[in-house]
Structure formats: structure tokens, C-alpha cells
Amino acid sequence: MIRNQWYTVLESNEVPRHTPLSVTRMGERLVFWRNSGGAVTCMHDICPHRRVALSLGRIVGDCLECPFHGFQYDGVGRCRLIPANGKGAPIPQAIRLDTYPTHEAHGLIAIWWGEPRDPVPAPPHFEALDESFSYVTVRDRWATHYSRAIENQLDVVHLPFLHKTTIGRGGRTLVNGPLVRWETHAFERDRLNLWLKNEVDTGQRPLRPEEMLEPNRHPGLQFQFPNLWHNWINDTVRVFAAFAPIDDANTQMYVRFYQSFVRTPVLRDLVNLAAWPFNLLILRQDKATVQTHVPGPSDLRGGEKLIQGDLPIIEFRRRRAELLRGQSAIPEGDTDGPNMAVAGPSTAWLGATPG
Ligand code: FES
Ligand SMILES: [Fe+2]
């Protein structure tokens, strides 16, 4: 997993007001809890004293109390009380916990998974999903690395096959482009914008990415590093996904159906609920196949034989590899100003195993 990123890892309503939540994310056992003001703390779920799970304890004011001997820890991981030593006793500095900065917005909780920074840059979100939208969430656990789950959502070739009974109806098997452009949003080159145009194959040659018209419409798909995705269905309907890494072999999916065409409170909730089974069905159509990938993260050197339509996956892998190497240099081929990069050079890899 890539360090020094904001990872969306939970929905807000998973962390109760008065009870700690134990959950595995990023391969680590973590505890999330809320202080008296409702602010969320994320810390390792291991008491430094005798190393039992803090999540079995209780919230006391602005501290989390260990169930074993009652040590209390505040929101930055400092021990504030060792009952056996008495209230007035000094607390050894060594008795403390690592915490991750948290950010809660849009009904989601993100953690800054990396080295401390002051200030930590603001976590990204899709600004097109404004407060005029309401949503319903499908949660699903997939037995795959989160990079594989992300790539599935960038895979524009699979639609008429895995989803031939749902969103892939119509037999539009021919993939033009797609056109991929990078954008700087919260961090350098962290957002992938994608325009696609699948068609019924009548013998025509698919357009190469560079032949697709300069987009003057909103991208159909967007991916925001490290783990957010947005599908612009139309002005009033969207699908959003967060891919929360549980560990190297499992991903917690949060897929939301967003709409703004019905805003009356009760009616709005009914419409959203009605969309839930359809979205679950689509997700399950993907899940069965994606879980059969070779285990582990996706990789440029994974031995796959990629085609032109896989360009978004190639771009994702390239940037992911850069971030894993700790590099942030703008690669050659950026021709569209300081913040944008056209994905043309990647096509050199097509038809061969990228390496
Ligand atoms: S193990 Fe937590 S207080 Fe002793
Ligand atoms: Fe799919």
C-alpha cells in the first residue's frame, strides 16, 4: 500500500457515538472511537501496558479506557491515567499509542496513513458530488487486493460480458480510446479522468485514444488516489466507490448510488433504497470474477497481455508504481499544461507485457 495518503476506510455510521469499533484496515488492527464532542480518533487496537485489545474497553469523557487495568488514553494516544498508580502520579512518556489523523466528511471517515505532516494536506473528494445529492450504500467484502478492485472499476472492456444482463446490455463490445488524462487535485497527479465510448462492432476500427475528440464534457469515470472512484451516469445520477484496504488479500467495498432527481425526504429515501439491490447485483457480477485474479496486488510486471482498451488500467499501474517508489516526477508526454497529462505514450506498451 502507498504511504502518505488519505485512505477512506469507513462510513461515519459504522463508528457509534459511545462504543469503540475494532476493525482491520491497512493490515493493522485499529480501534475507532468518538470523544465527547463526536470527533473520531483512530489508534492501534493494542494497549501498550499488557497488549490486549483496547476496543473491549469503554469511552470515558475524551479518553478510551482499557478493559484490563483501566489505563486511559486520549485522542492523540497519550496515557492520561494509570489507576493503580493514583490520580496524581506522573505518567511515563513511553506509555502511549500511535494514532492516525482522521477526517470525517460526506458520511465517510478517512485516515492519513503515513508520516506526520504539519499541516496534513486536505483529503480529496469529488466536488461534483455536492450536497444536492442523497445516496444509499452497498457494502461488500471482496477477497482481493484493493488495487484489483480498483482496476475492475477502470476496466471498460468487461462491461458487455460480465454485465451483459445489466449495465452492459446492448452488445457494445468495441472500445474506442479510452481517453485518459491526469489531473492534480489534492496531491500531484492524483486524479485520473477517463472518457469512454463503447460501440456495437459493425466492422469499424476503434478510435485510438489520441483520435478521440477533446473532451468538453465531464469525464465519465474518475479515480482519485489512493482509493476513491466516481462514475458520472448523468447530471443527476452517479455511482461512487471507496475501496478500503483490509489487508493484502481483502478489500471492503463501499459503493454508493447517488441521485439528485428526487429530493423530497421520504420519497428520496425510497428511490435510493430501490436502487440498492440493482447496485448489489452489479457488484456481485464483478466480484465472482475479480476474486479469481492471481493473488496479490496488481503490477505492471504481472504477465498480463493488455490491449488498447486497458489503457486506464495501465495508467493506474504506472502512477501507482511511481507512488510506491516514492517518485512524483511528471513523466514524459505531459503536453497539456502543468496539471494535465495526456496518456498517449502509454500506448507503446499495448500488445506486449508492460515492463
Ligand atoms: S493491558 Fe491495558 S491497562 Fe493493562
Ligand atoms: Fe463491473
Side-chain angles (χ1 to χ4, degrees):
M1 291 163 215
I2 305 161
R3 298 288 294 175
N4 297 318
Q5 302 271 328
W6 279 106
Y7 285 83
T8 295
V9 290
L10 287 169
E11 284 197 294
S12 294
N13 58 11
E14 291 182 277
V15 183
R17 190 69 177 80
H18 302 292
T19 317
L21 172 78
S22 176
V23 68
T24 300
R25 293 288 186 268
M26 325 304 294
E28 299 171 354
R29 205 169 82 191
L30 303 172
V31 55
F32 289 78
W33 56 279
R34 296 183 184 275
N35 68 12
S36 57
V40 179
T41 288
C42 169
M43 50 176 54
H44 287 115
D45 190 13
I46 302 173
C47 178
H49 178 217
R50 298 283 309 286
R51 302 185 72 77
V52 301
L54 275 169
S55 54
L56 296 176
R58 60 182 187 135
I59 297 165
V60 180
D62 289 331
C63 287
L64 181 59
E65 182 186 85
C66 179
F68 208 175
H69 313 99
F71 288 27
Q72 292 185 3
Y73 302 91
D74 67 15
V76 293
R78 276 190 309 240
C79 184
R80 305 305 290 249
L81 177 66
I82 301 176
N85 288 354
K87 284 184 180 150
I91 311 278
Q93 288 283 324
I95 304 182
R96 59 168 301 119
L97 278 153
D98 288 335
T99 61
Y100 291 120
T102 64
H103 185 90
E104 186 168 18
H106 316 288
L108 299 165
I109 295 171
I111 59 172
W112 173 256
W113 197 67
E115 282 70 57
R117 286 190 186 172
D118 192 19
V120 178
H125 193 72
F126 300 108
E127 52 286 337
L129 285 175
D130 61 31
E131 299 308 318
S132 66
F133 284 83
S134 60
Y135 62 83
V136 66
T137 307
V138 176
R139 294 178 189 162
D140 204 17
R141 180 180 172 127
W142 286 19
T144 192
H145 190 269
Y146 83 108
S147 61
R148 292 292 193 186
I150 289 168
E151 287 184 353
N152 175 61
Q153 300 301 114
L154 299 176
D155 183 328
V156 299
V157 181
H158 81 285
L159 292 169
F161 297 95
L162 281 192
H163 303 298
K164 57 177 169 285
T165 59
T166 54
I167 52 175
R169 276 194 300 261
R172 289 186 291 275
T173 55
L174 189 110
V175 178
N176 290 303
L179 180 61
V180 178
R181 287 187 170 184
W182 286 100
E183 176 186 355
T184 294
H185 187 65
F187 300 88
E188 190 177 356
R189 280 170 45 79
D190 57 355
R191 180 174 291 184
L192 180 152
N193 292 318
L194 166 58
W195 291 261
L196 62 151
K197 188 168 181 282
N198 292 7
E199 292 178 323
V200 172
D201 187 352
T202 57
Q204 76 277 38
R205 175 181 66 78
L207 297 174
R208 289 190 291 273
E210 60 272 22
E211 292 175 318
M212 291 185 72
L213 292 176
E214 188 75 11
N216 55 9
R217 59 188 167 95
H218 195 279
L221 294 181
Q222 293 180 294
F223 171 70
Q224 175 74 49
F225 267 104
N227 70 336
L228 300 179
W229 175 89
H230 177 214
N231 183 1
W232 178 293
I233 309 288
N234 60 43
D235 286 350
T236 61
V237 178
R238 316 286 175 72
V239 182
F240 163 93
F243 313 84
I246 296 172
D247 54 32
D248 281 342
N250 294 282
T251 302
Q252 181 63 42
M253 309 280 285
Y254 297 96
V255 178
R256 286 179 171 179
F257 168 80
Y258 276 85
Q259 62 84 17
S260 63
F261 58 83
V262 178
R263 301 189 189 185
T264 315
V266 176
L267 202 56
R268 174 191 69 196
D269 296 341
L270 287 174
V271 167
N272 294 348
L273 269 181
W276 190 88
F278 184 66
N279 282 275
L280 180 64
L281 170 63
I282 296 166
L283 208 56
R284 291 285 164 88
Q285 289 178 327
D286 288 312
K287 180 179 182 178
T289 301
V290 171
Q291 290 186 152
T292 68
H293 272 301
V294 176
S298 69
D299 191 351
L300 284 169
R301 298 169 205 275
E304 297 172 6
K305 307 292 184 272
L306 302 179
I307 60 173
Q308 175 180 296
D310 294 320
L311 186 55
I313 292 172
I314 296 170
E315 284 292 321
F316 166 74
R317 289 181 184 178
R318 287 181 67 195
R319 184 61 183 146
R320 180 176 146 73
E322 284 178 359
L323 290 168
L324 284 169
R325 286 196 306 266
Q327 296 177 5
S328 57
I330 307 250
E332 61 185 70
D334 285 8
T335 57
D336 215 22
N339 291 345
M340 303 290 281
V342 179
S346 297
T347 53
W349 296 355
L350 300 175
T353 303

